C-alpha cells in the first residue's frame, strides 16, 4: 500500500473520490433522514449521528459488490488497452459527477449520485472508443428509472396514506384503531427492512429466502413487540397526536435503515472509479479480477460520514426548522413507500433510484390530499434536473477526459 | 440540500386561521362599542369604533398577504379559487363590522323615543351577540377545515364541519328574524321618529345583520372546499 501511494494518479483519484464521497454524504444523507427530521421524529443532531454511523457501516461492510458494477459494468473495460485511459477517465468521471452534485446541491435539487457517476463514465467511454463501448442495456435501465421510480413511489405512497387514514385517522376511536393497526404496519415495515437487508445490503438475490428467512421472522417479532408495547404503555388524550406519536417511533428505524442501505449502495459511486485506478496501479490492466481492498471502502465510508457531519448537519437543521407540513404519518408513508418500492423493484430486477422514489412518494402523499401545499415549480425543476443529470455529467466528463489525454 | 424545504410550500391554512381570528376580534370590539352605545357612553363607544376600523385594516393586510402567497404554483388538497373566494367572504365579515362602527360614529343616539328605546337597544344588543356567535363559528369552521385536511378528509371530521356550517346558517336565520322585528318596530313608530334617527337605527341593524350574511357566505365556500 505504501509504494502504491507514491503513484501520483492513484493519489489524485483517491482525493477526488474522497471529495465525491463527501458530496454524496452532504447531498444524499438528507434524503434518507429528512422526512424523519421534518416530522420531528429525530433532531438534526441525532439524524447526523445516525446517518454518519450507518452510512459508514453500510459502505464498509456491504459496499463491495456495487463497487464492482460501477468499476466495470457500465462500459466494457476490456476494450481499453491503454491503462492511462482508465486513470484519466476515472478522474474525469469523478470530477464531472462531483461538480454536478455540487451544482445540484447549490440549487437544492435531489439528483441521483448513481446517475451522475454513470453519466461520467459513459462520457469518457464514448470520447475514447465511441458508442460501442457503452453497455446500453444498463443505460436504458437508468433512463427507465427516471420514470419508474417516481411513479412507483407516488402510487405506493398514495395507497399507504389512504390506508392509514382509513384504518386509523378516520376511525371513531383513532387510538384504539392505532393500537390494532400500527403493529401491523410496523410488522410490514420490518418485513421490508429485513428482506431488503438481505438483498440490497448483503447482495443476495433470492427473494424467497429474503422474505421467509429474514423478512417474516423479523417482521413477526416487530409486530409482537409493538403490539405488547402499545397495549402496555400508551396513554394520550388527543387521538391524532396519539396515532402520530406511535408512527414517530417507527420512523426512526426506517430512516436508519435507509441510511444503511444508502451507504451500501452509493459508496460505489465514489470509490468504483478509485477501485478501477487501483486495479491499474497494482495489475496494470483494468479488466482483471482484483478484489477491492477494504481500506478503499473505509475511505469511501469515511468520506460520506464527513460529508454528513460537515454539510449534512446544516441541511438537516434547515429541514428540521422549516418543514412544518410533515406529520409523522405522512413521513412514515413516504419512508415506508420508498423502502418497499426499492425492495419490490430489486426483486423484479427493475432499476430504481431511492432519491427519485422519495420525491415521487412526497407527491403521492400530496395527491392523496395529505399535504397542505406542494410547490409545483420545484417539482418541475427536480424532474428536469433528473433528465439532464446523465447527459451533463457525460459531457463534462468527456471534456475533462479529452484535456487529460492531451495534457497527460 | 434545501429541496425538502422548498418542495413543501407554506400552507395557506395557518394564515387563514389568523385572519379569522382578527375578523372575530373585530366583531368582538364592535360589540363593546355597541355596549357603550347602549349605556350612552359616547366617548368609550367612539374609541371602540375606531379600534374596529384599525382591526379591519389589519385583516385587510393579512388578506393581501395570503393572496400574494397563494400563487398558482401551489399544489393543494383544495381548490385555490375556493380558498381565495372563501378568504374574500371571511374578510367581508370584518368589512360589515366596520360599516356598523361607521354608523355609530356618525351621531349620538340621544333622541330615540323613550317608550321604544329599551326594545330597540335590546334588539340591537341581541343581534350583536349573535353576530359574535357567527364570527366565532366561522373561526371554528376554518380551524375544522384544517383538521379535515389533517385527517386526509376523514368522514368524521367532515361531518363535524357540516355541523358547524349548519350552526352558522341557523345563527344567520335568527339574526334575520331579529332584523325583521326591528324593522317592524321602526316603521310602526315612523311617524314619531325624525327621519335621521330612523335611518340611523335601520342602518345599524342592517349592517349588523350583514355580518352573519357574510358568515353564511363564508360557510358556503367551506362546503365547496370539501366537495371536490
Amino acid at each position: 500500500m505504501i509504494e502504491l501511494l507514491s503513484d501520483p494518479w492513484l493519489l489524485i483519484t483517491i482525493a477526488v473520490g474522497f471529495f465525491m464521497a463527501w458530496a454524496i454524504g452532504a447531498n444524499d444523507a438528507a434524503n434518507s433522514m429528512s422526512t424523519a427530521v421534518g416530522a420531528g421524529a429525530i433532531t438534526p443532531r441525532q439524524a447526523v449521528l445516525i446517518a454518519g454511523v450507518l452510512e459508514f457501516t453500510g459502505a464498509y461492510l456491504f459496499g463491495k459488490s456495487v463497487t464492482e458494477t460501477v468499476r466495470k459494468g457500465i462500459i466494457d473495460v476490456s476494450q481499453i488497452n491503454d491503462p492511462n485511459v482508465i486513470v484519466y477517465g476515472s478522474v474525469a468521471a469523478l470530477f464531472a459527477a462531483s461538480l454536478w452534485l455540487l451544482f445540484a446541491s447549490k440549487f437544492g435539487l435531489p439528483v441521483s449520485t448513481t446517475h451522475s457517476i454513470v453519466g461520467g463514465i459513459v462520457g469518457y467511454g464514448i470520447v475514447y472508443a465511441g458508442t460501442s463501448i457503452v453497455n446500453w442495456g444498463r443505460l436504458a435501465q437508468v433512463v427507465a428509472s427516471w420514470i419508474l421510480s417516481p411513479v412507483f413511489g407516488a402510487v405506493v405512497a398514495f395507497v399507504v396514506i389512504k390506508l392509514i387514514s382509513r384504518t386509523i385517522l378516520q376511525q371513531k376511536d383513532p387510538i384504539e384503531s392505532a393500537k390494532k393497526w400500527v403493529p401491523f404496519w410496523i410488522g410490514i415495515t420490518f418485513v421490508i427492512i429485513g428482506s431488503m437487508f438481505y438483498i440490497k445490503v448483503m447482495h443476495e438475490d433470492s427473494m424467497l429466502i429474503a422474505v421467509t428467512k429474514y423478512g417474516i421472522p423479523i417482521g413477526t417479532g416487530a409486530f409482537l413487540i409493538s403490539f405488547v408495547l402499545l397495549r402496555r404503555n400508551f396513554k394520550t388524550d388527543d387521538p391524532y397526536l396519539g396515532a402520530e406519536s406511535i408512527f414517530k417511533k417507527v420512523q426512526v428505524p426506517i430512516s436508519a435503515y435507509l441510511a444503511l442501505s444508502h451507504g451500501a449502495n452509493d459508496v460505489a459511486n465514489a470509490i468504483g472509479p478509485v477501485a478501477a485506478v487501483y486495479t491499474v496501479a497494482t495489475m496494470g490492466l483494468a479488466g482483471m479480477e482484483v478484489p477491492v481492498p477494504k481500506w478503499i471502502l473505509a475511505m469511501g465510508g469515511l468520506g460520506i460520514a464527513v460529508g454528513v457531519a460537515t454539510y449534512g448537519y446544516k441541511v438537516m437543521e434547515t429541514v428540521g426548522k422549516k418543514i412544518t407540513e410533515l406529520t409523522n404519518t405522512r413521513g412514515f408513508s413516504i419512508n415506508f413507500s420508498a423502502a418497499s418500492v426499492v425492495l419490490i423493484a430489486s426483486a423484479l430486477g427493475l432499476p430504481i433510484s431511492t432519491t427519485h422514489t422519495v420525491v415521487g412518494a412526497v407527491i403521492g402523499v400530496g395527491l392523496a390530499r395529505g399535504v397542505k401545499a406542494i410547490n409545483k415549480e420545484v417539482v418541475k425543476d427536480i424532474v428536469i434536473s433528473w433528465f439532464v443529470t446523465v447527459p451533463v455529467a457525460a459531457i463534462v466528463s468527456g471534456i475533462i477526459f479529452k484535456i487529460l489525454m492531451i495534457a497527460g | 440540500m434545501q429541496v425538502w424545504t422548498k418542495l413543501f410550500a407554506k400552507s395557506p391554512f395557518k394564515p387563514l386561521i389568523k385572519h379569522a381570528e382578527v375578523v372575530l376580534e373585530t366583531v368582538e370590539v364592535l360589540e363593546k362599542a355597541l355596549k357603550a352605545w347602549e349605556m350612552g357612553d359616547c366617548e368609550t363607544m367612539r374609541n371602540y369604533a375606531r379600534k374596529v376600523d384599525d382591526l379591519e385594516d389589519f385583516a385587510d393586510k393579512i388578506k393581501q398577504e395570503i393572496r400574494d402567497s397563494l400563487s398558482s404554483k401551489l399544489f393543494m388538497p383544495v381548490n385555490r379559487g375556493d380558498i381565495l373566494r372563501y378568504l374574500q367572504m371571511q374578510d367581508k365579515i370584518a368589512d360589515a363590522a366596520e360599516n356598523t362602527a361607521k354608523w355609530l360614529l356618525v351621531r349620538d343616539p340621544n333622541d330615540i323615543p323613550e317608550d321604544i328605546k329599551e326594545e330597540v337597544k335590546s334588539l340591537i344588543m341581541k343581534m350583536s351577540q349573535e353576530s359574535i356567535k357567527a364570527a366565532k363559528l366561522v373561526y371554528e369552521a376554518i380551524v375544522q377545515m384544517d383538521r379535515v385536511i389533517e385527517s386526509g378528509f376523514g368522514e368524521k371530521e367532515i361531518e363535524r364541519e357540516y355541523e358547524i356550517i349548519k350552526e352558522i346558517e341557523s345563527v344567520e336565520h335568527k339574526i334575520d328574524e331579529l332584523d325583521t322585528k326591528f324593522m317592524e318596530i321602526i316603521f310602526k313608530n315612523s311617524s314619531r321618529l325624525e327621519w335621521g334617527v330612523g335611518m340611523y337605527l335601520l342602518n345599524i341593524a342592517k349592517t349588523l345583520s350583514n355580518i352573519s350574511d357574510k358568515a353564511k357566505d363564508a360557510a358556503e365556500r367551506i362546503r365547496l372546499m370539501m366537495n371536490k
Side-chain angles (χ1 to χ4, degrees), chain A residues 1-7 10-11 14 278 281-282 293-296 298-299:
Chain A
M1 186 180 151
I2 302 295
E3 66 270 25
L4 277 175
L5 289 180
S6 59
D7 183 335
L10 185 59
L11 275 178
I14 288 174
Y278 171 81
T282 48
K294 276 277 177 195
W295 63 267
I296 292 191
M299 185 207 76

Side-chain angles (χ1 to χ4, degrees), chain A residues 188-254:
Chain A
I188 300 268
T189 306
F190 277 88
V191 169
I192 289 164
I193 291 180
S195 315
M196 285 278 265
F197 185 83
Y198 183 69
I199 290 197
K200 293 288 276 187
V201 178
M202 290 164 78
H203 300 295
E204 298 290 340
D205 48 15
S206 166
M207 195 55 176
L208 192 70
I209 296 177
V211 173
T212 52
K213 276 206 168 164
Y214 285 79
I216 290 177
I218 294 172
T220 313
F223 173 85
L224 291 174
I225 291 169
S226 55
F227 189 83
V228 173
L229 283 181
L230 285 182
R231 294 276 143 190
R232 279 175 128 199
N233 37 8
F234 187 70
K235 293 176 206 84
T236 180
D237 298 328
D238 189 300
Y240 292 108
L241 292 182
E244 290 296 339
S245 76
I246 303 178
F247 278 105
K248 194 170 168 173
K249 295 191 174 69
V250 195
Q251 271 203 285
V252 181
I254 205 162

Side-chain angles (χ1 to χ4, degrees), chain A residues 94-364:
Chain A
L94 278 176
F95 241 126
S98 310
L99 287 177
W100 172 243
L101 280 182
L102 275 187
F103 177 84
S105 298
K106 185 145 175 53
F107 290 94
L109 304 167
V111 299
S112 162
T113 51
T114 311
H115 293 180
S116 309
I117 198 71
V118 165
I121 293 172
V122 165
Y124 93 79
I126 290 181
V127 168
Y128 174 68
T131 50
S132 65
I133 198 172
V134 179
N135 183 345
W136 288 103
R138 192 165 294 275
L139 206 60
Q141 287 187 344
V142 168
V143 173
S145 87
W146 286 334
I147 298 141
L148 293 178
S149 311
V151 169
F152 283 167
V155 169
V156 175
F158 182 91
V159 172
V160 168
I161 190 99
K162 280 278 179 209
L163 282 176
I164 290 179
S165 12
R166 285 272 159 77
T167 55
I168 298 169
L169 298 181
Q170 299 181 8
Q171 291 296 308
K172 281 215 171 62
D173 185 348
I175 297 184
E176 250 329 288
S177 316
K179 282 182 181 172
K180 252 184 263 158
W181 282 97
V182 169
F184 168 77
W185 285 106
I186 295 176
I188 300 268
T189 306
F190 277 88
V191 169
I192 289 164
I193 291 180
S195 315
M196 285 278 265
F197 185 83
Y198 183 69
I199 290 197
K200 293 288 276 187
V201 178
M202 290 164 78
H203 300 295
E204 298 290 340
D205 48 15
S206 166
M207 195 55 176
L208 192 70
I209 296 177
V211 173
T212 52
K213 276 206 168 164
Y214 285 79
I216 290 177
I218 294 172
T220 313
F223 173 85
L224 291 174
I225 291 169
S226 55
F227 189 83
V228 173
L229 283 181
L230 285 182
R231 294 276 143 190
R232 279 175 128 199
N233 37 8
F234 187 70
K235 293 176 206 84
T236 180
D237 298 328
D238 189 300
Y240 292 108
L241 292 182
E244 290 296 339
S245 76
I246 303 178
F247 278 105
K248 194 170 168 173
K249 295 191 174 69
V250 195
Q251 271 203 285
V252 181
I254 205 162
S255 43
Y257 160 72
L258 275 174
L260 185 80
S261 83
H262 177 258
N265 282 284
D266 279 24
V267 71
N269 301 328
I271 63 159
V274 179
V277 174
Y278 171 81
T279 314
V280 173
T282 48
M283 302 300 285
L285 267 180
M288 307 290 291
E289 275 308 322
V290 180
V292 180
K294 276 277 177 195
W295 63 267
I296 292 191
L297 284 168
M299 185 207 76
L302 190 69
I304 296 179
V306 171
V308 171
T310 51
Y311 190 77
Y313 183 71
K314 221 172 71 190
V315 175
M316 311 260 198
E317 225 185 1
T318 339
V319 172
K321 274 181 196 149
K322 277 194 188 159
I323 300 187
T324 48
E325 308 302 328
L326 210 58
T327 59
N328 296 111
T329 26
R330 291 168 195 155
F332 171 83
S333 304
I334 293 166
N335 281 351
F336 177 87
S337 310
S340 46
V341 164
V342 177
L343 168 75
I344 294 160
S346 306
L348 298 175
L350 297 170
I352 287 281
S353 152
T354 313
T355 311
H356 296 186
T357 312
V358 170
V359 173
V362 169
I363 293 162

Side-chain angles (χ1 to χ4, degrees), chain A residues 13-26:
Chain A
T13 328
I14 288 174
V16 188
F18 191 83
F19 177 62
M20 172 81 178
W22 177 86
I24 292 172

Side-chain angles (χ1 to χ4, degrees), chain A residues 27 31 34 105 107-108 110 170 172 240 315 325-327 358 362 367 369 371-377, chain B residues 1-9 11 72-77 146-147 150-154 156-157 228:
Chain A
N27 194 50
N31 290 346
S34 52
S105 298
F107 290 94
Q170 299 181 8
K172 281 215 171 62
Y240 292 108
V315 175
E325 308 302 328
L326 210 58
T327 59
V358 170
V362 169
L367 286 172
R369 304 171 100 183
V371 176
K372 282 178 213 157
I374 288 177
N375 196 330
K376 274 193 267 181
E377 292 289 299
Chain B
M1 183 181 45
Q2 315 92 322
V3 70
W4 301 105
T5 57
K6 285 198 281 175
L7 192 57
F8 293 97
S11 149
S72 55
K73 288 174 186 170
L74 289 189
F75 169 69
M76 290 182 295
D146 194 40
R147 237 174 137 79
E150 200 69 28
S151 71
F153 287 72
K156 202 181 64 173
E157 301 300 339
K228 188 183 164 190

